[in-house]
Structure formats: C-alpha cells, structure tokens
C-alpha cells in the first residue's frame, strides 16, 4: 500500500482526498518509524491548508469515523476559517454557519475534543462576520442551543453552548483580526446580549454544575463588556 509519506514526497502526487488523509493520519499515529511519522505530519499540514480541505473536512466528521480523524476534520475547518477567511465567498457565510451549528449539535453528545474544535471554528466565523454579516452572533448562538429539537437533549445543548461561550473570548484574544476590527467586535458583543439572556446563561451554569461554571461567568462578562469611550 502506498504510504502518505511517499505521496508527500512527490510534488505531482499531492492528492488530498479523504482516503489519503485517513492513510496519513493512521501513519502519523501508528507507524513506529519516526521518519514516516514526520513525513505524514508534513503532508497533513499541507492538506489542512489546501483548497481541497473544504471537501474532505466535512467527510472526516462523519459519525462512522474515529475521533482522531474527526478531530483533524474539525481542525482543518478552523484553519481555513481563521487563516484563509478572505477566500470564502460572502454568499457562503450562511451555509457555513448552518453546517457548523449542525455539526456542533451532533457532537454535543460525542467526542469532547471534536466538539471543542468545532466550537472554535464557529467562534472564528462569528468574529469574522461581526458586525456586518452576523450582527447578532452571540444572541443567535444562545437562541439556537436553547431551542428544542434535532434529537439532542437539553443538557447536551446547554453544555455545547457553554463550550462555545468558553472558547469565543479565547478565540477573540488569539485571532488575527486587525485592531480596528477587534474594536468593532467588542462593541457588537457588548450590546448583543440583553440582560435577561445573561441571567439565563448564569442559571444554566448553576443547574448543570459544570466544571467550567466560573469560566462561563468570566466569558459572558468578556463578551458582554463595553468598549472604553475615547478619552476615558
């Protein structure tokens, strides 16, 4: 069987398909040869930033894949959104958002590490679309995960929401957004959640007594904070 290392070694054979990505991940995790591991890692780094990543990342999130493969798919999504946002046509923002919401709902009862990466990807999308394309991003996140339906129980939805609110300010701090854009996002974040919604989020934290309760309070305040007025 042709190894991912050999694929990566030939410039005309960078075929970033689902099958080859899975081969490379298997080689990275299970091949005892360190050189083969390194070759697989380099190949996967190229795959993650390739145009083909938009095709294979969703397939890698399939429920029949193992968590390591799903995690790579979610990480590829985040990489494309956070580092290559300008490559995404504006008419695809809505469908991308919808797909991410759907995947987060699916993984709310699945692998925690995959759920986290998907939440980070959605957080990055929100930061890149606020305030013009998605002015009510945080409020919509809360609304979507409070709604019943989709075959996901209430506790799983709430915990997914808490995870999303945990990673959102972290993604904001590490994002590559220009300073003027970060200022715009802060202003939008400070006005997007009405007080009753914030109170409801705090209630969710207490009800489920999650390990990230303190983080929830801290992050809600970060998302909700006001931008200092000039001269103050």
């Amino acid at each position: 069987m042709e190894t991912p290392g050999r694929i990566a070694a030939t410039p005309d054979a960078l075929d970033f398909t689902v099958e080859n990505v899975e081969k490379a991940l298997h080689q990275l995790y299970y091949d005892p040869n360190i050189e083969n591991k390194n070759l697989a890692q380099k190949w996967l780094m190229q795959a993650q930033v390739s145009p083909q990543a938009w095709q294979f990342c969703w397939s890698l999130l399939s429920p029949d894949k193992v968590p390591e493969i799903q995690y790579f798919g979610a990480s590829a999504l985040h990489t494309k959104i956070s580092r290559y946002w300008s490559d995404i046509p504006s008419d695809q923002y809505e469908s991308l958002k919808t797909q991410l919401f759907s995947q987060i709902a699916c993984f709310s009862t699945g692998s925690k590490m995959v759920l986290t990466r998907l939440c980070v990807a959605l957080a990055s999308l929100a930061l890149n679309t606020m305030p013009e394309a998605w002015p009510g991003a945080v409020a919509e996140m809360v609304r979507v995960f409070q709604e019943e339906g989709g075959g996901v129980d209430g506790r799983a939805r709430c915990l997914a929401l808490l995870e999303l609110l945990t990673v959102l300010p972290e993604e904001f701090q590490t994002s590559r957004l220009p300073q003027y854009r970060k200022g715009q996002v802060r202003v939008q974040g400070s006005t997007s959640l009405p007080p009753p919604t914030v109170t409801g989020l705090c209630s969710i934290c207490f009800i489920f007594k999650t390990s990230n309760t303190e983080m929830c309070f801290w992050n809600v305040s970060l998302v909700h904070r006001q931008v200092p007025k000039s001269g103050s």
Side-chain angles (χ1 to χ4, degrees), residues 79-97:
T79 297
K80 297 296 288 184
I81 294 171
S82 61
R83 294 173 55 184
Y84 301 95
W85 178 254
S86 61
D87 294 343
I88 306 174
S90 58
D91 61 356
Q92 294 184 17
Y93 293 170
E94 190 66 26
S95 63
L96 181 57
K97 177 178 71 175

Side-chain angles (χ1 to χ4, degrees), residues 212-223:
N212 55 350
T213 298
E214 292 183 3
M215 184 66 76
C216 172
F217 284 123
W218 174 245
N219 289 339
V220 167
S221 67
L222 280 176
V223 173

Side-chain angles (χ1 to χ4, degrees), residues 161-191:
L161 175 59
L162 292 181
E163 184 66 22
L164 186 53
L165 292 177
T166 297
V167 303
L168 182 58
E170 296 171 356
E171 182 68 9
F172 175 79
Q173 295 295 334
T174 60
S175 71
R176 301 185 179 190
L177 292 175
Q179 285 303 314
Y180 82 93
R181 285 281 295 120
K182 285 192 173 184
Q184 291 176 331
V185 171
R186 279 201 191 98
V187 170
Q188 183 61 41
S190 70
T191 57

Side-chain angles (χ1 to χ4, degrees), residues 128-173:
N128 278 289
T129 52
M130 293 168 65
E132 297 88 0
W134 195 8
V138 179
E140 184 175 349
M141 291 175 186
V142 174
R143 178 184 60 77
V144 167
F145 288 105
Q146 284 183 332
E147 291 178 346
E148 295 184 2
V152 181
D153 66 77
R155 184 178 190 277
R157 290 198 311 272
C158 289
L159 293 180
L161 175 59
L162 292 181
E163 184 66 22
L164 186 53
L165 292 177
T166 297
V167 303
L168 182 58
E170 296 171 356
E171 182 68 9
F172 175 79
Q173 295 295 334

Side-chain angles (χ1 to χ4, degrees), residues 10-31:
T10 54
D12 59 344
L14 294 178
D15 191 9
F16 299 125
T17 63
V18 173
E19 181 182 7
N20 285 340
V21 169
E22 291 191 43
K23 286 181 182 179
L25 286 168
H26 187 275
Q27 182 166 316
L28 176 66
Y29 285 114
Y30 302 110
D31 196 310

